[in-house]
Amino acid sequence: MPFHQFSVSTRLVGAVLLALGASQAIAAGASASDAAHARYRQEMALCNSGQSNQDVQTCRREAGAALQEARQGGLAVTGIDLQQNALLRCAAHQGIDRRACEARMRGEGTSSGSVGGGGILHETVIVVPGS
C-alpha cells in the first residue's frame, strides 16, 4: 500500500473547525443567523490573531463576505454534508486504498503527536488476508 503525505494549511483547518462549530450551534438549537454571527466572530478573531494565511484586510473582507452569503442562505453546511464531501474525496482511489481513505475520513484508527510538536500521526491498520 503506497504511503501518501498530505499538507493541510492552517486556513483550511481553521475553516473546517469553524464550519463544524457553526453546524454544532445549529444542532444545539441556535438559529442560522446566530450561527452565522458566531462563525463571523470566530473568523474575525482568527484574522486579528495573525494566524490566517492572508493579510488582515483580506481576511476581514472574506469573513464579511461569508457572513453576507450565510445571511442569504448560501453557506448552509451540515455535518452530514461535510461527511459526504470527505467520503467523495476517496472516490479517486480503488480497492484497499479507497477503504483506507474512507477509514481515515471517518476518523478511525489512532492519533498521536501535536501540531505544536511538528505534526500529528494518524495510524490505521487494515488486515489484508493472504491469498
Side-chain angles (χ1 to χ4, degrees):
M1 176 169 58
F3 173 76
H4 303 281
Q5 183 176 1
F6 297 95
S7 175
V8 179
S9 74
T10 303
R11 176 97 171 125
L12 177 61
V13 171
V16 170
L17 292 175
L18 290 172
L20 288 173
S23 66
Q24 287 174 349
I26 291 170
S31 73
S33 178
D34 290 343
H37 280 93
R39 181 175 175 174
Y40 173 76
R41 286 189 297 274
Q42 290 173 336
E43 287 181 357
M44 289 301 287
L46 182 66
C47 294
N48 294 331
S49 72
Q51 294 181 2
S52 73
N53 290 335
Q54 300 172 314
D55 64 85
V56 175
Q57 293 302 328
T58 301
C59 185
R60 289 177 181 167
R61 186 172 48 250
E62 287 191 10
L67 176 61
Q68 182 178 359
E69 186 70 20
R71 285 178 178 160
Q72 297 170 353
L75 293 180
V77 176
T78 66
I80 293 170
D81 293 336
L82 294 174
Q83 184 178 19
Q84 288 174 344
N85 184 23
L87 291 175
L88 283 173
R89 294 171 183 264
C90 298
H93 303 289
Q94 299 295 319
I96 193 165
D97 288 337
R98 184 173 184 162
R99 290 193 302 272
C101 178
E102 290 172 351
R104 284 191 301 273
M105 295 301 112
R106 287 190 300 270
E108 296 177 11
T110 60
S111 299
S112 61
S114 68
V115 173
I120 299 175
L121 174 66
H122 300 281
E123 181 180 14
T124 304
V125 176
I126 298 176
V127 178
V128 180
S131 38

